[in-house]
């Protein structure tokens, strides 16, 4: 978003006009920003054989999935439903990696039938899979490296108390199971969590993976998951992609030399690709002064954007309607009957009823976690592409709320 001539714009499109055209609340995504982020990652790893698998769960709109495919991305899916969305978006089965957690063998069989790449994350499912398929379907294994990293315990997935992955301490059991059923292990995967800052953490995890990888003879790829941190506010430290890229690619190349084969290196970024590209446009319905604070109540809430309440996430907010206005301190809240604070004690240009308030970093885990709580409609979604705002999901209606209800007569 840029401020030009007193107007906040994306690719020359005024956000105020987007709100006029599509109403509020509305999610707006900037295709150029997504492209730029894609390029940052793809260029950071030099001449390594890199594959980027967009983590679909962060933003599942089919047009966004198609957009990322047009940039060259593959897809990472955590449910069979995401796999179907990916196929609808035009991804070839072999471009889709399916990394479920805690699913039954039936769902994995469905994924096998669709021809997507399979990543297994428990010893019991590995044995069930081996019994059913033997070595006929190549698989990847998700390991748990027992590294505590990430911005918040809820988004850390690689520590000892996490439900994800097969413990690296169970390597002997993994190898026994693989041998018993003749399972064809083509890749190893670790996803340590979200919001990891330090290049050294990625390197630590990579080294754990390299150690384990030596025990497998038929590998084609190593997958380091994701966890890249983006900026949520001015001055935030973010993952230095260039540093991660140069350190990891050097380590990876020397691993490949020792392994005797050039493997593919995979990453599965979600947040890094789409977080900063998204804005939630809302309208101020209420300005309420209390003895303690001044509240701005907007026409959205934790039903549309739950990250502040769920992860204590910081989302910057901007008053789009009063760009040069005097700054005051506000607590911005939603309209849900529940405490749903978007941000406390924020400096913003003076807010009047009817002003448009944009919530930043609304691309990842915002719409995809939205609900109908309080029987509110989920927002529409708009993509700004080639300087043009285009609708990519309609706003819901009463029909969407009632369609699946079975209404009894009394
Ligand atoms: C959620 C998830 C990701 C994406 O994480 P980000 O922090 O959004 O980049 C990648 N891989 C797997 C397996 C995931 O579950």
């Amino acid at each position: 978003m840029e401020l030009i001539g007193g107007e906040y714009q994306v690719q020359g499109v005024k956000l105020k006009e987007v709100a006029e055209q599509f109403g509020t609340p509305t999610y707006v995504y900037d295709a150029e920003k997504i492209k730029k982020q894609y390029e940052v990652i793809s260029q950071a790893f030099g001449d390594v054989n890199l594959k980027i698998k967009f983590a679909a769960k962060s933003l599942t709109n089919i047009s966004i999935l198609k957009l990322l495919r047009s940039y060259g991305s593959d897809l990472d899916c955590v449910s069979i439903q995401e796999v179907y969305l990916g196929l609808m978006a035009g991804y070839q089965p072999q471009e889709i990696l399916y990394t479920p957690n805690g699913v039954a063998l039936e769902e994995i069989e469905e994924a096998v039938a669709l021809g997507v790449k399979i990543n297994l994350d428990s010893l019991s499912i590995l044995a069930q899979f081996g019994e059913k398929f033997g070595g006929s379907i190549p698989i990847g294994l998700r390991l748990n490296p027992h590294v505590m990293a990430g911005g918040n315990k809820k988004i850390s997935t690689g520590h000892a108390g996490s439900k994800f992955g097969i413990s690296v301490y169970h390597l002997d059991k993994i190898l026994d199971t693989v041998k018993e059923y003749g399972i064809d292990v083509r890749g190893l995967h670790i996803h340590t969590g979200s919001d990891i800052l330090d290049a050294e953490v990625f390197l630590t995890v990579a080294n754990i993976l390299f150690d384990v990888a030596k025990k497998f003879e038929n590998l084609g790829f190593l997958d380091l998951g994701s966890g890249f941190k983006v900026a949520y506010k001015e001055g935030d430290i973010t993952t230095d992609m260039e540093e991660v890229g140069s350190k990891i690619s050097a380590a990876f190349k020397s691993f490949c030399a020792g392994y005797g084969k050039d493997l593919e290196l995979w990453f599965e970024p979600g947040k890094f690709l789409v977080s900063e590209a998204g804005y939630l446009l809302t309208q101020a319905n209420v300005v309420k002064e209390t003895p303690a604070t001044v509240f701005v109540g907007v026409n959205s809430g934790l039903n549309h954007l739950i990250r502040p309440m769920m992860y204590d996430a910081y989302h910057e907010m901007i008053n789009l309607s009063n760009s040069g206005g005097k700054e005051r301190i506000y607590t911005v809240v939603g309209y849900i009957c529940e405490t749903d604070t978007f941000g406390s004690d924020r400096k913003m240009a003076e807010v009047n009823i009817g002003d448009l308030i944009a919530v930043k970093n609304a691309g990842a885990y915002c719409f995809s976690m939205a609900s109908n709580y309080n029987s509110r409609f989920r927002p529409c979604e708009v993509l700004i592409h080639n300087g043009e705002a285009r609708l990519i999901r309609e706003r819901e209606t009463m029909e969407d709320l009632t369609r699946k209800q079975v209404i009894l007569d009394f």
Side-chain angles (χ1 to χ4, degrees), residues 215-236:
K215 307 275 190 199
F216 293 85
E217 285 166 3
N218 199 24
L219 295 180
F221 70 89
L222 293 180
D223 181 343
L224 285 175
S226 179
F228 308 118
K229 187 173 179 328
V230 299
Y232 282 85
K233 55 177 180 291
E234 190 97 14
D236 258 6

Side-chain angles (χ1 to χ4, degrees), residues 55 57 76 78 99 142 189 191 193-194 226-227 268-271 365:
K57 74 179 190 285
D76 177 51
V78 293
T99 302
R142 178 172 187 170
H189 167 268
H191 171 65
S194 256
S226 179
E268 307 158 346
K271 199 175 274 185
Y365 308 104

Side-chain angles (χ1 to χ4, degrees), residues 8 10 54 67 71 202 211 237 239 255 258 260 311 366 402:
Y8 287 96
V10 169
F54 174 55
L67 182 78
Y71 298 152
F202 286 99
D211 259 356
I237 306 172
T239 305
F255 165 78
Y311 304 120
C366 291
T402 53

Side-chain angles (χ1 to χ4, degrees), residues 110-183:
E110 199 175 335
V112 168
L114 292 171
V116 301
K117 293 196 163 132
I118 310 281
N119 219 351
L120 300 179
D121 105 321
S122 78
L123 278 170
S124 64
I125 206 81
L126 182 64
Q128 290 174 61
F129 189 92
E131 205 164 309
K132 175 97 193 183
F133 295 106
S136 63
I137 306 288
I139 57 146
L141 289 177
R142 178 172 187 170
L143 302 171
N144 186 323
H146 301 304
V147 172
M148 182 67 196
N152 178 309
K153 183 112 195 218
K154 284 187 192 157
I155 52 175
S156 300
T157 54
H159 58 88
S162 166
K163 67 168 184 166
F164 293 98
I166 309 174
S167 169
V168 287
Y169 301 144
H170 287 162
L171 182 57
D172 287 345
K173 289 186 189 164
I174 298 172
L175 292 170
D176 286 349
T177 308
V178 165
K179 197 164 162 206
E180 183 179 348
Y181 299 104
I183 297 169

Side-chain angles (χ1 to χ4, degrees), residues 22-35:
F22 299 99
T24 57
T26 291
Y27 276 101
V28 181
Y29 309 113
D30 176 0
E32 281 302 312
K33 178 64 182 171
I34 297 174
K35 187 175 185 195

